[in-house]
Amino acid sequence: GIMPDTKKFIENLSGAGKCIGVLTSGGDAQGMNAAVRAVVRMGIYVGAKVYFIHEGYQGMVDGGDNIKEASWESVSSMLQVGGTVIGSARCKDFRTHEGRLRAALNLVQRGITNLCVIGGDGSLTGANLFREEWSGLLDELVQSGEISEEASQIYSALHIVGMVGSIDNDFCGTDMTIGTDSALHRIIEVVDAIMTTAQSHQRTFVLEVMGRHCGYLALVSALACGADWVLIPEMPPKDGWEEQMCYKLSESRMRGSRLNIIIVAEGATDRHGNPISSNAVKELVVRCLGFDTRVTVLGHVQRGGTPSAFDRILASRMGVEAVLALLEASPGTPACVVSLCGNQAVRVPLMECVQMVRKSFENNLNTYKLLSHRKIDSELPHSSFNVAVLNVGAPAAGMNAAVRSAVRVGITEGHTMFAVSDGFEGFYKGQIKEIKWGDVGGWTGQGGSLLGTKRYDYISKGLLIHNINALLVIGGFEAYLGLMELQAARSKHAELCVPMVMVPATVSNNIPGSDLSIGADTALNAITDTCDRIKQSASGTKRRVFIIETMGGYCGYLATVGGLAAGADAAYIYEEPFDIRELQSNVEHLTEKMKTNILHRNYTTDFIYQLYNEEGKGVFDCRKNVLGHMQQGGAPSPFDRNFGTKIAAKAMQWISKKLKEFYREGRVFANTEDSACLLGMRRRALVFQPVVQLKDETDFVHRIPKEQWWLRLRPLMKILAKYKTSYDVSDSGQLEHIVRLRAKDVSAI
């Protein structure tokens, strides 16, 4: 027989006759609104009815006006709002049997048998209990005559899909929970602000961040800002930590650092379970060292503010995924949680998540330990290998974090690290010098590239006068081409036979072999910030259409994903050819509903602007905005800092391994395909891929990969902007068990 076509398309999934209730519960988190918006619009798109359940479980128990049908318009302009618009309450009633009975009655009366719960683990555990009791609750309602026997048959199964919204990122089975990235943005904004004042006054700052049982925020923000010390509940410090910490602080002052930052999670304890408060840490520093020390407690600031681009995209993708999971659920499927693992949508049984303690951040912990504690020279292995780091191509935010990480890991592994300024040109100009541990302090928070990234025209033969044994290249398409050329020239130049690895860093995100590149997240945030401001300015005026041009050469990643995060109506990109007819129909579509627009260049921005201006006369006026270099500048986002830090550390560890492997008779000689690699994020793992093998995946004329994963997100943007479109859902997450997940991914992150 012929294999059935495995592709599933959205057109074949019907939600007709289904009712979905959406609620947010527990503590609020930025991005919850984006999730609610996606559930509502996707639900309506597939023909289901969607109901808001206001005030979480309390609204479900109280019924009445708390449960309202949602319309398409009822979720517009909530994408950029923090918190949750439909309200969230802690609910005592739902914990009682009586409360759950009333909730069941309210749902049955409206025919709602599909619930999408956005909240922390408490909320999701509650939902699961409710589902287990469902048929019993219906029997009771039939007995008391509140519902008919017939109704209990029709509504006999309750389906539940959860999304984790919790800024602590304390949930097992999910890489990132909704709101975590935004909370990191708030923390990093504060740290960056503090750093400037601490620099002026030579101060020590103790920063307390949220996390009663989970040190994720503390740990990752410590990684992202290069803090001197971090205290988290998962890893109580050894006895005698006080002296150790004070020694480290005074040592870094002696090396000329003017500030110290200590990050404390609110739940931090010592080995004996005694809490360590931020004030206690301050008193300790003052007592031992006499440093001028201040405490800053971040508190609820971390839950505030607008959601970051990452959270909007995560929440939008998850909201759509949740509706698909509900459409595909049968009475036998367990309640599941939708989430992202790496860049891959997954579904995990809810109870497995709740029962397992989360351990995935051990990788973050190890990276932090590697980078923050300088070893004494006598402790270091001495490898006598020389490793050079260079940035090639246009600057991208996060490059410096990558260099810092690479240099420190390299020194820890015993290599002598060299920095090459101005990319490949720096080699023959002799702009190459040894770089030490302290030289890269404070680099994580700086935008652009401190090494300089001049584009190269030719590579001189004098490339390797400095006896460099390995090469780490950080950059965009130029770097990728350069690495290929170097590899190809190995047959003529034996000096080029050294391990080389490239880490992708470019705002365009157009590198074959990697789903993401350093700098793209920062650029997306620049785009969403601009769009948010534009939306605000436009809300007070008469109806307007805004056209925004993003960077990216022929690669439409920023336009597409930026469009999804900003709630744009259309994104015009090179990869999906469009003609005047399509533009025309978009203009008509807008004439009906009026909002903003993002695009990519090819038809020029001016042309599209004029078209919209002509056609929209009398209905809306038109403004345009070219974002240009704003997208490359600015401080890197927490995501880019961490991605840069982790990926560069992994690249350096690979270099160490290869150096040992290819060391023969007193020299390094590497001439195999797998000794010139690109390290990229592929779906859910970081993988080393020989550049030779990536050749066939590359469109060299347009400088883009031939297949781009994010093109699959384009229909989402269209659906969420009310266009009828075909959406291939064969890639939606499959139900997986956590155990399998863990083993595969431990090496990945």
Side-chain angles (χ1 to χ4, degrees):
I2 300 164
M3 280 289 290
D5 187 8
T6 52
K7 289 208 162 196
K8 300 181 290 192
F9 285 96
I10 193 73
E11 304 87 294
N12 314 337
L13 281 175
S14 165
K18 293 202 168 167
C19 295
I20 301 173
V22 59
L23 67 148
T24 53
S25 169
D28 69 326
Q30 304 98 319
M32 280 184 166
N33 291 323
V36 170
R37 168 181 180 266
V39 169
V40 168
R41 292 198 165 169
M42 188 66 176
I44 292 174
Y45 187 85
V46 297
K49 278 187 167 180
V50 187
Y51 288 86
F52 289 134
I53 300 176
H54 289 272
E55 310 307 332
Y57 289 118
Q58 193 63 55
M60 201 191 292
V61 174
D62 297 344
D65 275 352
N66 288 306
I67 306 178
K68 282 203 192 91
E69 191 174 343
S71 67
W72 190 273
E73 287 69 32
S74 60
V75 290
S76 40
S77 75
M78 65 193 269
L79 187 63
Q80 65 270 36
V81 182
T84 164
V85 174
I86 57 176
S88 171
R90 307 232 177 251
C91 175
K92 289 208 174 62
D93 297 341
F94 194 74
R95 296 207 175 127
T96 66
H97 184 78
E98 183 49 41
R100 291 193 291 276
L101 193 63
R102 298 212 317 266
L105 176 63
N106 288 324
L107 294 184
V108 170
Q109 284 170 343
R110 293 166 180 79
I112 301 172
T113 55
N114 295 282
L115 285 183
C116 180
V117 183
I118 308 164
D121 50 4
S123 320
L124 298 179
T125 316
N128 198 55
L129 173 66
F130 190 45
R131 181 171 183 266
E132 284 169 1
E133 294 182 349
W134 183 254
S135 54
L137 293 170
L138 294 197
D139 290 346
E140 281 183 57
L141 291 169
V142 171
Q143 238 96 65
S144 62
E146 289 178 86
I147 62 169
S148 65
E149 180 63 49
E150 186 192 8
S152 79
Q153 293 303 309
I154 301 173
Y155 305 123
S156 61
L158 177 68
H159 301 299
I160 289 181
V161 171
M163 276 184 267
V164 191
S166 132
I167 65 168
D168 286 346
N169 200 21
D170 54 0
F171 204 75
C172 188
T174 66
D175 266 9
M176 280 292 261
T177 58
I178 296 168
T180 306
D181 188 67
S182 302
L184 286 171
H185 272 261
R186 295 298 92 76
I187 295 172
I188 296 300
E189 280 158 20
V190 170
V191 172
D192 285 351
I194 280 176
M195 277 175 123
T196 50
T197 136
Q199 288 280 356
S200 330
H201 298 290
Q202 281 212 351
R203 284 200 175 128
T204 297
F205 274 87
V206 180
L207 196 67
E208 182 181 305
V209 302
M210 282 185 160
R212 273 192 301 271
H213 311 292
C214 175
Y216 182 86
L217 288 177
L219 183 60
V220 175
S221 51
L223 255 178
C225 71
D228 292 278
W229 200 267
V230 64
L231 292 159
I232 54 175
E234 288 86 350
M235 216 194 74
K238 293 189 182 74
D239 289 343
W241 63 272
E242 296 90 344
E243 289 77 45
Q244 220 186 335
M245 181 181 82
C246 291
Y247 172 72
K248 174 152 198 277
L249 297 181
S250 65
E251 193 202 27
S252 88
R253 280 289 164 100
M254 274 159 45
R255 285 208 308 274
S257 156
R258 294 177 60 88
L259 83 159
N260 306 106
I261 289 187
I262 300 165
I263 296 184
V264 185
E266 58 184 350
T269 60
D270 65 14
R271 286 280 160 101
H272 311 288
N274 307 313
I276 300 174
S277 71
S278 41
N279 278 321
V281 174
K282 171 193 163 167
E283 281 157 21
L284 176 70
V285 175
V286 173
R287 195 174 66 240
C288 294
L289 302 169
F291 290 172
D292 180 1
T293 308
R294 304 289 156 98
V295 173
T296 303
V297 178
L298 278 187
H300 280 77
V301 170
Q302 293 160 84
R303 290 182 192 264
T306 59
S308 64
F310 183 92
D311 273 331
R312 298 180 195 195
I313 291 153
L314 174 69
S316 301
R317 285 176 73 178
M318 295 304 92
V320 166
E321 214 18 73
V323 172
L324 295 178
L326 286 171
L327 292 186
E328 292 170 11
S330 61
T333 23
C336 73
V337 168
V338 290
S339 82
L340 273 193
C341 185
N343 190 25
Q344 170 71 42
V346 293
R347 299 178 191 171
V348 198
L350 191 143
M351 283 327 281
E352 286 186 23
C353 295
V354 175
Q355 284 153 5
M356 283 179 69
V357 186
R358 182 154 195 242
K359 271 289 163 269
S360 86
F361 76 86
E362 279 176 5
N363 303 301
N364 281 319
L365 198 54
N366 296 335
T367 312
Y368 177 77
K369 283 187 198 156
L370 263 180
L371 297 180
S372 66
H373 296 292
R374 184 185 193 182
K375 299 221 175 47
I376 298 130
D377 291 344
S378 59
E379 295 174 1
L380 287 176
H382 185 59
S383 73
S384 75
F385 289 127
N386 297 339
V387 179
V389 183
L390 65 161
N391 293 342
V392 178
M399 274 184 168
N400 293 321
V403 174
R404 166 183 179 267
S405 163
V407 167
R408 293 196 163 176
V409 172
I411 291 173
T412 308
E413 308 244 320
H415 312 313
T416 309
M417 299 299 296
F418 287 87
V420 186
S421 321
D422 293 343
F424 288 119
E425 283 179 38
F427 271 119
Y428 64 82
K429 288 188 186 160
Q431 290 170 321
I432 172 165
K433 60 178 202 307
E434 191 184 335
I435 188 163
K436 298 267 204 323
W437 186 278
D439 299 339
V440 289
W443 276 31
T444 45
Q446 297 183 353
S449 158
L450 295 177
L451 285 184
T453 58
K454 286 218 187 89
R455 296 154 187 279
Y456 70 103
D457 301 314
Y458 54 94
I459 298 172
S460 107
K461 288 178 189 161
L463 234 172
L464 294 154
I465 297 167
H466 292 268
N467 184 26
I468 298 297
N469 308 112
L471 213 46
L472 169 60
V473 184
I474 302 169
F477 210 85
E478 296 290 328
Y480 172 67
L481 291 177
L483 203 61
M484 280 192 167
E485 285 174 34
L486 290 181
Q487 212 251 351
R490 274 176 171 179
S491 52
K492 296 196 183 69
H493 304 283
E495 333 64 292
L496 291 175
C497 296
V498 295
M500 309 176 201
V501 62
M502 168 182 165
V503 165
T506 162
V507 293
S508 311
N509 197 20
N510 60 338
I511 306 300
S514 193
D515 287 0
L516 297 173
S517 59
I518 300 168
D521 184 72
T522 305
L524 285 176
N525 279 299
I527 294 170
T528 47
D529 287 352
T530 307
C531 292
D532 288 355
R533 287 198 195 108
I534 286 174
K535 278 184 174 177
Q536 273 173 338
S537 77
S539 62
T541 54
K542 58 185 194 296
R543 294 172 295 189
R544 267 190 191 159
V545 169
F546 284 89
I547 296 175
I548 290 156
E549 179 181 306
T550 64
M551 287 175 95
Y554 283 103
C555 175
Y557 175 79
L558 288 180
T560 297
V561 183
L564 185 59
D569 274 284
Y572 299 116
I573 62 171
Y574 160 77
E575 287 89 346
E576 244 179 44
F578 53 93
D579 55 21
I580 197 82
R581 284 189 307 275
E582 195 178 337
L583 282 170
Q584 193 75 36
S585 75
N586 285 357
V587 175
E588 284 158 14
H589 182 90
L590 280 196
T591 319
E592 280 172 46
K593 70 161 264 223
M594 283 309 319
K595 275 277 183 315
T596 56
N597 220 301
I598 292 205
L599 86 137
H600 188 64
R601 53 170 186 263
N602 203 353
Y603 272 100
T604 64
T605 309
D606 289 332
F607 171 76
I608 293 184
Y609 166 67
Q610 280 155 3
L611 173 83
Y612 271 89
N613 227 359
E614 276 310 301
E615 296 292 333
K617 277 214 171 102
V619 184
F620 52 76
D621 68 356
C622 199
R623 296 276 186 278
K624 66 176 183 211
N625 196 328
V626 177
L627 292 183
H629 284 272
M630 210 176 89
Q631 299 157 82
Q632 284 180 351
S637 65
F639 183 88
D640 278 333
R641 295 184 197 194
N642 284 324
F643 184 51
T645 299
K646 270 186 212 169
I647 197 169
K650 201 172 165 85
M652 271 315 299
Q653 287 166 326
W654 177 88
I655 283 180
S656 294
K657 203 175 84 194
K658 292 290 174 199
L659 282 169
K660 288 194 191 83
E661 207 176 299
F662 292 111
Y663 185 70
R664 297 272 179 286
E665 283 108 51
R667 72 190 195 113
V668 173
F669 186 80
N671 197 12
T672 56
E673 284 189 1
D674 70 350
S675 61
C677 281
L678 178 134
L679 172 55
M681 155 84 75
R682 272 279 164 98
R683 296 182 88 100
R684 53 167 74 178
L686 284 175
V687 275
F688 291 93
Q689 306 147 91
V691 281
V692 180
Q693 291 169 20
L694 293 172
K695 246 189 194 130
D696 298 339
E697 295 183 26
T698 312
D699 167 352
F700 287 100
V701 180
H702 298 105
R703 305 167 75 102
I704 49 177
K706 286 180 183 165
E707 280 201 13
Q708 308 195 82
W709 67 271
W710 52 263
L711 283 170
R712 294 196 306 270
L713 296 182
R714 279 186 68 75
L716 289 195
M717 188 191 84
K718 290 185 175 166
I719 287 173
L720 296 179
K722 214 171 186 173
Y723 285 90
K724 282 275 173 267
T725 181
S726 174
Y727 176 41
D728 173 6
V729 292
S730 23
D731 198 49
S732 60
Q734 303 304 313
L735 194 65
E736 318 195 350
H737 295 289
I738 292 188
V739 188
R740 198 178 81 232
L741 254 163
R742 294 273 60 93
K744 197 156 64 194
D745 293 343
V746 168
S747 58
I749 300 158

